Amino acid sequence: KKALGIVLETEGKSPLGLRLTGIGLSASGDNSYFVPEKALRENSGLKSAVFALLTDRETEKIVHDGKHARIALAREGIDFVCDFDTMLAAYLLDPSKARYDLESLIFENLGAELRGSEDAGRRASFLLPLKEVLGEKLKNQEMERLFKDVEMPLSTVLADMEMAGIRVDPDKLQKLSAEFGEKLERLTGEIYELAGMEFNINSPKQLGEVLFEKLSLPVVKKKKSGYSTDAEVLEKLKGAHPIVEKILEYRFLMKMKSTYADGLLSLVDRDTLKVYSNFNQTITATGRISSTEPNLQNIPVKTDIGKKIRGVFVAEKPDHVLLSGDYSQIELRVLAHLSGDEKLIEAFVKGEDIHARTASEVFGIPQEKVTSQLRDRAKAVNFGIIYGISDYGLAQNLGITTGEAREYIESYLNRYPKVRDYIRETINRAKLNGYVTTIFNRRRYIPDINSRNYNLRSFAERVAMNTPIQGSAADIIKVAMVKIYNHFKEMGLKAKMLIQVHDELIFDVPQDELEVVKSIVKSDMETAVPLKVPLVVDFKVGKSWEEIS
DNA sequence: GCATGATGCTT
DNA sequence: GCGGAGCATCATGCT
């Protein structure tokens, strides 16, 4: 196979406004070419030759940011899939870096310094040598399969998700915004009345002065720059003055209006009535995907008002529905797998209520006698284990003393001894190697693990134990996404993957495809990676995201 | 216009 | 002094 480095010049924002303005090509060493926009706009022989090259099976296509390239070329009618994405390779080699721009990679790996004026052809000439260096490193670190079989194909899946977009109902959003706005106006007046003055409620500084100086409320917590006024503080002050509850409600409604109602409205495409999120593959240190503009991974779900926001996301057409498939307790199942703890494995094999089972174990009572309060505490302990437990954090979360929290943790680790072993071994591995890994050998460096600073070291230890769990769960859902995408394509289905929210996938599905799509998604998600425990996926179907939450 | 802190939303 | 991983908004202070 002949290798070809490709650098696209583009203008505009992805995916709708993205325009191709030039192509740099380099087949080997010093030979590089630049195809300007003018040549791409006319039906020249050059243009068809270049476009043919971009889909040539016999050419190994090397690109920096293949997802972006796929989106840019889709507008030109090209179904572009690259063979080696240097951005993804660099991300796997060190997922904690702030940026993965081509210029830095060329400097770091090849020692060449590019001046700003270099054209796309010249930049393309570095892609082949860069690929050699990064590819060799991936091979040495046993990440070739993660790269070739997971991340590379996933970038195609994500590109198509970004281009698909998600349909919203702007009228519904507009009404919610107005409703929030009216309530906020009323609250603003009431807060000014109770404060005896007007001030900017959105300013933590001014709010702190009103609460703790003018109204003399007790100071619960301080921040670097003064009083803390966060929700945790306000909850404690609830009984002290009627203004506190009003402020809590104001904060909540302001969040709903500014971030969700108005924020979302500003991103709706007026022609398609869709939002086109960016699913970023090289941001998180653990291997998760992130989402921006809009962030579709933090749409409210916990409150009734929040759920109304989800109600604005709808299926694309009248005869389509939204389908969600979400992994049940994937991180605890990954922990059961990684630790090999017999009792934890048994709980999942038997299909038990895992939090109730934990409560039974930790508090030493039969499962039938577990109250909802004890179950909630056990649930917090389970989260604590996943996030890298600290007695302080658990105590904070449950409103108990650190001593009690320490007892809960000890009890848990005594009941699940191999989880204790697993945590100890993981931290030791981090200290020895300087990094931890996931089931697919994804790697994260933990530089502070041997720090003499207790805080830094403790944080690093929590990161060391959390990353293999969160990262392995990310590996699993990524594999599932690639499988599902390929199966949809093979079967010529119209169903489209729209959103990934860490342990959940959302699809737009024509009604008449629902049953076949559901069975594909179920088997691909549940058999994505064989673990020592079963993977269980729950499904919901509805016309809006609210209905499937 | 840009960076940072405080805050709050998700999994 | 602090639970893991993110992103968006507003206020504020700086260039």
Side-chain angles (χ1 to χ4, degrees), chain A residues 115-153:
Chain A
R115 298 180 304 278
S117 57
E118 316 266 1
D119 82 1
R122 169 128 172 92
R123 275 182 285 146
S125 71
F126 289 99
L127 284 173
L128 273 68
L130 186 57
K131 178 232 154 186
E132 293 303 322
V133 173
L134 298 178
E136 186 64 23
K137 287 182 178 173
L138 285 173
K139 193 174 175 184
N140 290 338
Q141 300 182 19
E142 297 177 341
M143 285 194 283
E144 263 186 322
R145 289 205 53 204
L146 177 62
F147 178 70
K148 284 281 176 196
D149 298 344
V150 183
E151 299 293 348
M152 284 297 305

Side-chain angles (χ1 to χ4, degrees), chain A residues 370-491:
Chain A
V370 172
T371 62
S372 62
Q373 194 213 16
L374 287 179
R375 187 181 178 281
D376 284 350
R377 293 191 170 204
K379 189 174 174 179
V381 172
N382 276 330
F383 271 100
I385 295 291
I386 289 168
Y387 292 158
I389 197 81
S390 79
D391 46 15
Y392 180 91
L394 182 63
Q396 194 76 14
N397 195 282
L398 286 176
I400 58 178
T401 66
T402 54
E404 288 170 317
R406 201 175 305 126
E407 285 176 23
Y408 286 8
I409 296 166
E410 266 309 303
S411 176
Y412 180 97
L413 295 175
N414 288 334
R415 284 303 199 167
Y416 300 105
K418 289 206 174 162
V419 172
R420 189 197 291 280
D421 295 342
Y422 164 75
I423 291 172
R424 186 160 29 80
E425 284 163 15
T426 303
I427 291 172
N428 274 340
R429 256 198 303 278
K431 287 186 193 298
L432 195 67
N433 300 328
Y435 62 85
V436 292
T437 55
T438 67
I439 44 178
F440 273 35
N441 223 17
R442 185 188 302 280
R443 179 182 291 204
R444 179 182 183 179
Y445 294 94
I446 318 278
D448 294 330
I449 196 75
N450 291 313
S451 170
R452 269 76 70 200
N453 178 322
Y454 176 81
N455 285 329
L456 280 182
R457 190 174 65 250
S458 297
F459 185 71
E461 287 174 356
R462 290 198 289 276
V463 165
M465 55 181 125
N466 168 261
T467 296
I469 299 170
Q470 189 183 117
S472 296
D475 293 349
I476 291 167
I477 196 167
K478 283 177 166 181
V479 169
M481 291 168 76
V482 171
K483 284 185 157 193
I484 293 165
Y485 178 89
N486 288 332
H487 281 147
F488 281 6
K489 182 149 278 192
E490 282 165 21
M491 299 184 63

Side-chain angles (χ1 to χ4, degrees), chain A residues 2-7 24-27 59-66 80-86 124 126-132 152:
Chain A
K2 294 168 293 182
L4 180 69
I6 304 162
V7 170
L25 298 167
S26 177
T59 300
E60 184 188 21
K61 296 167 282 289
I62 305 160
V63 176
H64 188 77
D65 195 351
F80 180 74
V81 178
C82 75
D83 300 282
F84 195 105
D85 186 335
T86 51
F126 289 99
L127 284 173
L128 273 68
L130 186 57
K131 178 232 154 186
E132 293 303 322
M152 284 297 305

Side-chain angles (χ1 to χ4, degrees), chain A residues 150 213 275 378 455 498:
Chain A
V150 183
E213 291 172 15
V275 290
N455 285 329
L498 299 183

